[in-house]
Amino acid sequence: MHLPLALLAGTSVTPIPVPTVDPELVTPGPWGFGIIVFVTVAVVLLAADMTRRIRRGRVRADIQEELDAEEAERDARAREREDRDDQVL
């Protein structure tokens, strides 16, 4: 017959505490529900704000690219005019 390891080591076994409250009855209650609702609403609002800011940044980048392209085209035309004027003289 095998003896338990605790008996061989000369120590006593620590008893497992018995829960005094039924785990089925423990719930977060109205405060827990309120906190979860608050966190959910905050996450949804932050996600909507982030989406709006990303969209706005993309639109601004597209507009800046168009402005840069127009400026480069205008500079190229000005250089062509200067080259033609220099050739005429």
Side-chain angles (χ1 to χ4, degrees):
M1 183 172 180
H2 298 291
L3 293 174
L5 187 58
L7 291 176
L8 292 175
T11 61
S12 62
V13 177
T14 306
I16 299 174
V18 178
T20 57
V21 178
D22 185 14
E24 297 292 323
L25 298 177
V26 178
T27 62
W31 283 101
F33 178 74
I35 290 171
I36 294 299
V37 167
F38 174 76
V39 169
T40 303
V41 169
V43 167
V44 167
L45 291 175
L46 286 172
D49 183 57
M50 179 187 66
T51 303
R52 183 177 51 90
R53 288 174 185 265
I54 289 173
R55 188 178 308 127
R56 186 185 304 159
R58 286 182 181 168
V59 168
R60 286 182 180 172
D62 291 343
I63 291 171
Q64 187 63 40
E65 286 178 12
E66 289 176 12
L67 291 174
D68 290 343
E70 289 175 5
E71 185 179 347
E73 184 179 337
R74 187 177 54 231
D75 291 344
R77 286 181 189 165
R79 272 188 249 117
E80 287 177 9
R81 269 188 259 133
E82 287 177 3
D83 289 343
R84 272 189 265 137
D85 291 343
D86 288 343
Q87 290 175 356
V88 171
L89 295 176

